[in-house]
Amino acid sequence: MSVHSKLSTMLDDLQHPSAPPHYEGYVERKIVQALEEQAIDVEDFHYYCVRLRKVCGQRKEAA
């Protein structure tokens, strides 16, 4: 499974109400780790960060 598929799956999983609160930090660390390992480029990093902020905002509103 590619790093893009893994990150997208984690972000999709984060949208489920049953996802634990600490999972947000885990996904964030995985995005940063992918950038540090040069598995994604800066544009991809920005894309995943925007998605993460959006999902976290939705989770906060739902709570």
Side-chain angles (χ1 to χ4, degrees), residues 31-42:
I31 294 170
V32 171
Q33 181 182 13
L35 179 66
E36 289 173 344
E37 294 174 353
Q38 298 180 348
I40 61 173
D41 61 22
V42 175

Side-chain angles (χ1 to χ4, degrees), residues 6-37:
K6 289 178 184 177
L7 293 175
S8 289
T9 299
M10 285 190 279
L11 287 164
D12 291 343
D13 291 345
L14 188 57
Q15 290 180 314
H16 295 281
S18 61
H22 71 274
Y23 194 59
E24 294 174 4
Y26 175 77
V27 174
E28 180 182 16
R29 285 190 301 278
K30 288 298 183 181
I31 294 170
V32 171
Q33 181 182 13
L35 179 66
E36 289 173 344
E37 294 174 353

Side-chain angles (χ1 to χ4, degrees), residues 49-60:
C49 287
V50 168
R51 276 190 66 189
L52 179 62
R53 279 191 304 247
K54 181 179 176 184
V55 171
C56 290
Q58 291 170 346
R59 287 173 54 90
K60 187 175 180 180

